[in-house]
């Protein structure tokens, strides 16, 4: 069956399903929930990862030892430092990331036509993910700056509202919230591009190997495929974006330093070297691989619950 025929025959009740802004709003909500939940749940891992990046001479015995050090010295509650900005920031980011990805993918398909889009689907996945992530990072950056400040300086504030307010008051919007916008884009855009293209191509390969039409597979099978594809996508994305993640933590550790963001990034890169840029990769692979797998599983399940399953697929299955 041709791509076009499969799309047209996808649903006998297409008129009853959401389209346009209604559809993308549902995708955005599913993305917001899956990102907020997964990033929030993995806050303890992120705390340890950030400490390893910021204080490698203190936290130099790996992730498990890092957990033990923090609990022993500061108490278990410290592992939840930054939960508020983490959940809030990634809830907003997830809406733009997933909803935007579906929107831009459909836009490129409309421009190119379904057949041409299918032949160039990897390029469409990459472009859609990059554009969506740029806007998602605008929403994420203030919360990420607040989170890193809370983790790196435990006495800075007691939580999201007080930390956000103090950062805004003392350093302003640009220097306080967006001094890390360059590195966050440098981290998140390649991460998101890798994440979506690896997920799409991995799930496509799995469905092709199974051979059974998607509409004949159980919900549990779809969820399992989403988990497996998401895990592979997350591991690849973590490796690609690790250097920028380290730079982002360093940039946000202290009050804005002198000089442009570019000059500071170059100086930090030279200071850290290749090995230093990949400090904390192990914990980050665990964190990103797990949360990406869960994200795609939750995203797919919520889309099904909301009846938003008719987004166009351009795979060759």
């Amino acid at each position: 069956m041709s791509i076009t025929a499969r799309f047209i025959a996808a649903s006998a009740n297409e008129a009853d399903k959401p389209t346009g802004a209604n559809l993308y709003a549902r995708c955005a909500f599913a993305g917001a929930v899956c990102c907020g939940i997964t990033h929030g749940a993995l806050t303890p891992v992120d705390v340890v990862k950030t400490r390893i990046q910021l204080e490698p001479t203190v936290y130099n015995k790996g992730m498990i030892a890092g957990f033990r050090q923090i609990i022993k010295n500061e108490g278990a509650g410290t592992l939840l430092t930054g939960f508020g900005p983490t959940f809030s920031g990634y809830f907003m980011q997830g809406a733009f990331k997933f909803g935007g990805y579906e929107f831009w993918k459909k836009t490129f398909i409309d421009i190119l036509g379904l057949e041409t889009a299918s032949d160039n689907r990897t390029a469409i996945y990459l472009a859609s993910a990059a554009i969506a992530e740029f806007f998602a990072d605008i929403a994420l950056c203030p919360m990420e700056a607040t989170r890193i400040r809370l983790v790196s300086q435990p006495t800075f504030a007691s939580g999201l509202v007080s930390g956000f307010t103090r950062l805004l008051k003392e350093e302003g919007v640009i220097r306080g919230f967006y001094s890390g916008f360059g590195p966050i884009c440098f981290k998140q855009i390649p991460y998101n591009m890798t994440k979506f293209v690896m997920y799409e191509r991995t799930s496509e390969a799995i469905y092709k190997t199974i051979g059974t039409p998607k509409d004949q597979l159980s919900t549990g099978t779809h969820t399992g495929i989403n988990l497996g594809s998401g895990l592979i996508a997350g591991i690849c994305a973590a490796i690609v974006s690790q250097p920028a993640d380290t730079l982002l933590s360093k940039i946000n550790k202290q009050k804005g330093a002198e000089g442009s963001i570019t000059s500071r990034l170059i100086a930090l890169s030279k200071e850290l070297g290749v090995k230093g840029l990949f400090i904390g990769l192990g914990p980050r692979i665990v964190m990103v691989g797990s949360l990406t797998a869960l994200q795609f599983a939750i995203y797919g399940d919520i889309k099904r619950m909301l009846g938003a399953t008719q987004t166009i697929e351009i795979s060759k299955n």
Side-chain angles (χ1 to χ4, degrees):
M1 184 181 293
S2 70
I3 296 169
T4 305
R6 282 194 286 112
F7 174 59
I8 293 174
S11 173
N13 300 308
E14 196 69 28
D16 298 330
K17 293 189 176 183
T19 59
N22 189 4
L23 172 62
Y24 300 126
R26 298 182 191 212
C27 292
F29 177 76
V33 172
C34 77
C35 286
I37 288 175
T38 52
H39 279 277
L42 287 169
T43 295
V45 178
D46 207 20
V47 169
V48 176
K49 183 267 298 180
T50 302
R51 290 289 183 89
I52 290 172
Q53 290 175 324
L54 297 179
E55 301 177 75
T57 58
V58 177
Y59 301 95
N60 56 7
K61 298 179 181 178
M63 182 173 65
I64 302 301
F67 272 101
R68 291 172 178 168
Q69 283 178 269
I70 292 173
I71 293 172
K72 179 180 178 180
N73 297 331
E74 303 173 54
T78 303
L79 294 173
L80 292 178
T81 302
F83 173 80
T86 296
F87 179 84
S88 302
Y90 282 97
F91 186 89
M92 293 186 293
Q93 188 228 28
F96 285 96
K97 180 200 296 277
F98 282 89
Y101 177 74
E102 300 289 3
F103 170 79
W104 287 108
K105 185 170 70 170
K106 176 63 164 58
T107 298
F108 285 121
I109 291 171
D110 289 343
I111 293 172
L112 298 175
L114 200 55
E115 294 290 347
T116 301
S118 181
D119 292 336
N120 297 277
R121 60 194 181 280
T122 297
I124 290 176
Y125 298 149
L126 290 171
S128 301
I131 297 171
E133 186 60 42
F134 176 80
F135 292 103
D137 289 345
I138 294 174
L140 171 65
C141 203
M143 294 299 179
E144 183 71 354
T146 304
R147 179 194 71 81
I148 291 176
R149 187 63 60 87
L150 292 174
V151 173
S152 62
Q153 298 179 19
T155 60
F156 181 76
S158 60
L160 168 60
V161 176
S162 57
F164 186 93
T165 303
R166 180 177 174 184
L167 201 55
L168 176 62
K169 180 180 179 180
E170 294 185 0
E171 301 182 38
V173 174
I174 301 302
R175 185 167 290 276
F177 292 148
Y178 286 97
S179 63
F181 185 67
I184 207 171
C185 285
F186 183 55
K187 177 188 84 169
Q188 288 294 135
I189 291 177
Y191 160 82
N192 206 46
M193 293 169 71
T194 304
K195 167 181 172 176
F196 274 101
V197 76
M198 289 303 299
Y199 167 78
E200 295 275 17
R201 296 311 297 254
T202 301
S203 59
E204 177 182 337
I206 293 174
Y207 280 117
K208 185 176 182 180
T209 300
I210 292 175
T212 304
K214 290 183 181 181
D215 58 2
Q216 295 180 24
L217 295 174
S218 67
T219 298
T221 300
H222 286 295
T223 300
I225 292 172
N226 287 338
L227 279 169
S229 302
L231 178 61
I232 293 172
I235 291 172
C236 294
I239 294 171
V240 167
S241 60
Q242 175 64 20
D245 184 66
T246 300
L247 291 174
L248 177 64
S249 294
K250 294 288 186 181
I251 284 284
N252 281 306
K253 181 181 180 181
Q254 300 175 342
K255 288 186 177 182
E258 297 299 324
S260 67
I261 294 298
T262 301
S263 64
R264 291 167 64 192
L265 288 174
I266 293 173
L268 279 172
S269 298
K270 290 180 178 179
E271 178 186 336
L272 292 168
V274 174
K275 183 178 180 180
L277 288 171
F278 281 91
I279 288 176
L281 178 60
R284 190 158 186 268
I285 285 178
V286 172
M287 183 185 75
V288 175
S290 301
L291 72 84
T292 304
L294 291 172
Q295 278 177 9
F296 279 111
I298 295 170
Y299 179 65
D301 288 346
I302 293 179
K303 279 177 63 181
R304 281 194 291 272
M305 290 171 58
L306 296 177
T309 58
Q310 72 283 10
T311 51
I312 296 180
E313 296 183 12
I314 50 177
S315 67
K316 292 275 188 183
N317 292 338

